[in-house]
Amino acid sequence: LEAGGLEGSGDDERVEVVVLSFNMACKEPYDLEHMLRGRVMESADVVAIGLQESLFKLGQRRSVDAPAVPRLSWKLSAPPSPPHAAGPPQRRSEDKLAQSAEHPPPLRSRSEEPSPRRGDDLPVGRGSGASSPPLGEDLKERFSDAHGIVLDRSHSDVSDIESLSDAEAERKISDAEDGPAKPESPSKRGVRGRVGKRISRASRAPRASEEKQRRPSLFGAKRAVEGKVEDNDDDASVNVLRERLASALGDDFYTVSHQRRALMQLFVFARERIRGRISNVAGAIKNTGGAFFQLPNKGGICLRFNIDSTPLCFISCHLDAHEGLEKRKKRHASCAEILKSARPPGQLLDHTLEHHHVFWFGDLNYRTTFGPDVPKEQHVERAMNMIEMEDWHRFVAHNELTNDLNLQLVLSGFSACDVEHFPPTYKRLRNHVDGYNAKRVPSHTDRVLYYSMPGTAHRLRVTESTSFETIVSSDHKPVRAAFSLMLSPRVEVQDAQPAVWPQLVFNNLAARDLPAMDVIGGRSDPYVRFYTLPHDLLAAPSGKGVQTKVCRYTLSPDWRETVKLKLRAGGLDALRGAHVIMCVYDRDFSSADDLIGCVSLSIDDVLMGARTSGQYSFSLDVVRHGVRRGTLSGTVRPAGRRNALVRGGTLRSALRDPVTGSIRAEAGEEDGRKCLVS
């Protein structure tokens, strides 16, 4: 092989990938499309958008432009009080029920443009004293629509409406929109209140069961309303999100797939020009919420596909919240569970072993911590001091995810996109570009991580990592990362001419620091089983894999044997982009064998290393579901057609005799030295 031949030609195509994550906190954002603007979006080929807590009640968003971001003057504040908090407190529960029954919220159709809300839902840049359209004008318009008449100054109802308070006017218009009330049976005219007070059924507050039916369903089911079946609000909000995202991206994009589980959603869009090159689209979802059973409020959504011969995987997740060591361990366990269980049909191994590049993003909820002995109040105070100084480098050093990635306690092999140049994304004050809620320690909970298989890391480059301070509808700030990806070369699997198939010969295989898998004795019975990526590249006997012998009762096995892998390719130079997967198992004689962990070996690295020394030595971490579980080492040398074991000259040809199996080689000379041909 010529020098540099494995580095890829200049004709290798690049694909621009953009990943976005946003915890919407069940609020419709003022300017969701702002995330889909900018130079990186103009050149993007694939866009993955992960949304958490993405269902919301329709008709509560104000269409305003996000304000320009001034220089941030950080402040710490409690969340803004609702408008009714300024009045006298309600001391009795029946008063609360009566108040809610006396002034029920108006009913609006989904197609109706909502009126502006007041108080804490005002957009940034407008305070409580900002001017807004008179409420009476809006009410008169709704009254006209309800009765089918046009109100003018001469109409008698105009003065009636203007003389009423806002709440009374709202009630009058709502009654007109709802129509006349149906008569009730005498036996159902009233119900007994909680404190013995009789409350009219027509005016009482809705029961919990009735209110539950009106709430959006976590599973996107349909509900019956007045004998008719119609979509839930959550289904409608999903459609609104899909339409807004597709409209912001433009007609040049199409939807590769949309995966949803309860409040979590994952959208993947791609350019029309690469539609025909995308294949093997599949998805899977894993719930991790709940204590005794798994709820769909937390978990991960996986979507995988190929661009030509490059397998990609996108995982959007929402992990457990709150501070503390136990919650931190629960997040670690959730990551492992997602890697283990969120696998599309037909996938045998972890995502990191089946895909050249994996993008992991979402509200990971890893918090800022200054040690277990520091009180929570001091956590908040120290964090705010660093934020005021904009010392992001020192701030990120105290993040749980940053530390645990370095220690390989979670998502081993993943790298995090840089967050040292923008403020913590949580817990922010809604409708403010700055400010944090004092109930939580400010943290970079919204992150984007990425993983590349060995031999492919040089093909992926991070070009952007940013947050959006101007989106103020949630207590989280969205994050976006952009990547420039060089596609991997195609590995051609060849079924004909098995006599010229190349081989990889493994020797000196050994493992160290493996975990004890046997309950009795605290030992393991490990052996190594070999796979390849692509899976059909390995030529193995029918029904049998290629594996080593079993080493009994040890945690540091040495396999003193030679393992030969025959690969279905036209030569060693046709193996660029291929990988050998070595999985360490524990042999169980009474049940199925347990997986200890796996390593991935790039054949590109093997061929490059063998060019100089004749063989390639490796020592790799054994990883299972993102957790390190020991090391595996050994040597490997390639053998076969176009062997790379040539020193001091050029190889003209090297072919294996199909009859005798011997090597016929023709070696050239360079500077008077003969070539060494294996």
Side-chain angles (χ1 to χ4, degrees):
L1 298 180
E2 297 180 359
L6 297 177
E7 297 296 330
S9 64
D11 298 332
D12 287 330
E13 183 180 358
R14 285 193 173 272
V15 172
E16 305 301 321
V17 179
V18 176
V19 174
L20 302 103
S21 175
F22 185 23
N23 186 324
M24 299 171 56
C26 297
K27 297 289 185 180
E28 189 172 2
Y30 302 124
D31 196 5
L32 181 68
E33 295 82 359
H34 183 61
M35 299 189 302
L36 304 177
R37 302 169 186 164
R39 183 177 301 176
V40 297
M41 297 304 305
E42 296 175 358
S43 60
D45 298 302
V46 177
V47 179
I49 305 174
L51 302 177
Q52 306 86 41
E53 297 186 16
S54 59
L55 302 184
F56 50 85
K57 186 176 180 181
L58 295 178
Q60 297 193 9
R61 178 179 65 89
R62 297 197 60 182
S63 299
V64 297
D65 293 331
V69 180
R71 177 170 175 80
L72 300 179
S73 55
W74 301 108
K75 59 184 178 181
L76 186 65
S77 174
S81 302
H84 58 74
Q90 298 289 338
R91 298 183 178 180
R92 301 176 60 182
S93 58
E94 64 269 21
D95 293 339
K96 295 181 180 180
L97 293 176
Q99 183 187 25
S100 61
E102 181 181 358
H103 306 296
L107 299 178
R108 299 185 179 94
S109 63
R110 293 177 182 173
S111 60
E112 182 183 0
E113 181 66 18
S115 60
R117 299 202 309 169
R118 296 186 174 186
D120 59 339
D121 290 313
L122 284 174
V124 174
R126 297 187 62 178
S128 58
S131 61
S132 60
L135 186 59
E137 296 296 329
D138 176 66
L139 292 177
K140 285 185 290 185
E141 181 180 353
R142 289 173 51 201
F143 185 87
S144 301
D145 295 339
H147 288 277
I149 61 176
V150 178
L151 290 179
D152 54 25
R153 297 299 305 177
S154 63
H155 201 283
S156 59
D157 286 324
V158 174
S159 59
D160 296 338
I161 293 176
E162 293 180 342
S163 63
L164 298 176
S165 64
D166 289 351
E168 293 172 340
E170 282 279 359
R171 181 188 175 190
K172 184 173 183 178
I173 300 302
S174 299
D175 292 340
E177 292 174 336
D178 296 341
K182 296 181 180 180
E184 300 183 20
S185 63
S187 60
K188 297 183 179 181
R189 287 179 179 174
V191 295
R192 181 71 59 179
R194 293 180 58 187
V195 293
K197 181 179 179 180
R198 295 189 63 83
I199 305 174
S200 164
R201 178 177 293 274
S203 61
R204 67 168 174 82
R207 293 176 177 174
S209 59
E210 298 173 354
E211 182 67 23
K212 182 178 180 180
Q213 295 177 359
R214 301 177 186 177
R215 296 172 184 168
S217 167
L218 288 179
F219 300 93
K222 296 188 175 183
R223 62 187 175 103
V225 179
E226 297 179 357
K228 299 180 180 180
V229 178
E230 65 177 19
D231 291 339
N232 264 337
D233 286 340
D234 53 354
D235 293 327
S237 65
V238 169
N239 295 332
V240 168
L241 280 175
R242 185 187 298 112
E243 293 172 0
R244 289 180 61 184
L245 294 174
S247 176
L249 288 172
D251 297 336
D252 195 27
F253 281 87
Y254 80 99
T255 304
V256 177
S257 182
H258 170 220
Q259 303 286 327
R260 176 194 168 198
R261 174 65 57 86
L263 305 181
M264 304 179 296
Q265 298 188 67
L266 174 59
F267 298 85
V268 176
F269 302 90
R271 295 274 184 186
E272 285 285 354
R273 65 179 181 84
I274 63 173
R275 180 195 284 262
R277 300 166 60 185
I278 293 180
S279 60
N280 300 331
V281 180
I285 303 175
K286 176 60 181 176
N287 301 334
T288 61
F292 300 101
F293 55 92
Q294 293 178 339
L295 297 175
N297 63 326
K298 298 291 190 296
I301 303 178
C302 164
L303 182 66
R304 60 96 53 218
F305 57 88
N306 285 19
I307 302 180
D308 292 343
S309 59
T310 304
L312 304 177
C313 180
F314 298 86
I315 301 176
S316 173
C317 65
H318 190 190
L319 304 182
D320 290 71
H322 303 302
E323 298 88 354
L325 181 59
E326 293 302 320
K327 294 294 184 180
R328 184 177 183 176
K329 292 180 179 179
K330 182 65 170 62
R331 288 188 281 271
H332 290 357
S334 297
C335 290
E337 190 65 24
I338 292 171
L339 283 173
K340 175 183 177 182
S341 302
R343 298 180 184 175
Q347 181 172 315
L348 302 176
L349 305 173
D350 275 0
H351 298 293
T352 56
L353 302 172
E354 297 269 6
H355 306 95
H356 287 184
H357 307 282
V358 181
F359 303 93
W360 186 292
F361 51 99
D363 180 10
L364 307 188
N365 261 318
Y366 283 96
R367 306 305 176 92
T368 301
T369 178
F370 297 94
D373 300 330
V374 179
K376 181 179 178 179
E377 295 75 11
Q378 294 187 19
H379 279 276
V380 176
E381 182 180 356
R382 293 186 183 183
M384 290 306 303
N385 291 335
M386 294 183 184
I387 291 173
E388 291 176 358
M389 295 185 295
E390 299 186 0
D391 189 359
W392 310 132
H393 178 76
R394 192 158 60 98
F395 187 91
V396 174
H398 293 280
N399 186 268
E400 294 175 338
L401 181 61
T402 301
N403 297 326
D404 292 348
L405 284 176
N406 294 333
L407 297 176
Q408 294 184 296
L409 299 178
V410 63
L411 298 177
S412 178
F414 279 80
S415 301
C417 290
D418 183 21
V419 296
E420 296 183 357
H421 56 278
F422 56 82
T425 58
Y426 178 83
K427 180 177 177 74
R428 309 298 287 270
L429 293 179
R430 288 191 177 96
N431 302 324
H432 293 78
V433 292
D434 57 358
Y436 290 86
N437 192 319
K439 293 182 178 180
R440 296 287 182 263
V441 181
S443 304
H444 288 92
T445 60
D446 306 271
R447 305 291 292 270
V448 178
L449 286 69
Y450 59 96
Y451 171 88
S452 297
M453 293 187 71
T456 64
H458 68 282
R459 296 182 175 272
L460 186 68
R461 178 168 51 90
V462 181
T463 58
E464 182 195 62
S465 178
T466 186
S467 67
F468 295 89
E469 298 295 316
T470 57
I471 296 181
V472 296
S473 57
S474 171
D475 55 357
H476 289 256
K477 296 297 183 184
V479 294
R480 183 178 73 187
F483 303 85
S484 182
L485 169 65
M486 182 189 299
L487 298 180
S488 301
R490 182 181 300 275
V491 179
E492 298 290 346
V493 179
Q494 178 179 316
D495 293 329
Q497 298 179 346
V500 298
W501 286 346
Q503 287 186 341
L504 296 180
V505 182
F506 288 83
N507 288 288
N508 305 319
L509 289 175
R512 296 293 181 266
D513 303 325
L514 298 180
M517 305 297 292
D518 297 335
V519 178
I520 301 177
R523 300 288 183 180
S524 297
D525 305 311
Y527 68 94
V528 180
R529 185 179 298 168
F530 293 83
Y531 303 90
T532 57
L533 188 67
H535 294 307
D536 54 351
L537 182 62
L538 179 61
S542 178
K544 297 182 180 180
V546 179
Q547 64 185 47
T548 65
K549 298 179 180 179
V550 178
C551 292
R552 302 290 301 276
Y553 309 117
T554 179
L555 301 180
S556 299
D558 289 287
W559 292 279
R560 297 181 175 87
E561 58 181 303
T562 298
V563 179
K564 297 181 179 180
L565 304 183
K566 183 173 287 190
L567 306 177
R568 303 173 187 267
L572 291 172
D573 54 348
L575 296 176
R576 294 179 54 204
H579 291 78
V580 175
I581 312 298
M582 294 172 281
C583 295
V584 184
Y585 285 87
D586 171 56
R587 171 61 57 86
D588 283 338
F589 297 94
S590 59
S591 61
D593 295 347
D594 298 322
L595 175 64
I596 298 177
C598 301
V599 303
S600 176
L601 183 64
S602 170
I603 298 183
D604 284 5
D605 294 341
V606 172
L607 297 180
M608 289 294 293
R611 288 176 56 199
T612 56
S613 60
Q615 65 180 11
Y616 177 73
S617 300
F618 62 90
S619 179
L620 303 171
D621 290 329
V622 178
V623 178
R624 181 188 180 212
H625 309 327
V627 180
R628 181 182 178 276
R629 312 191 79 188
T631 60
L632 180 67
S633 61
T635 61
V636 55
R637 62 179 180 86
R641 184 182 178 186
R642 288 188 62 92
N643 200 318
L645 301 183
V646 180
R647 295 191 297 267
T650 57
L651 176 65
R652 294 182 181 175
S653 65
L655 300 176
R656 182 182 298 275
D657 191 304
V659 179
T660 63
S662 60
I663 294 292
R664 298 198 315 269
E666 178 182 357
E669 294 187 359
E670 181 175 301
D671 298 333
R673 297 174 297 175
K674 289 185 178 181
C675 300
L676 303 178
V677 181
S678 171

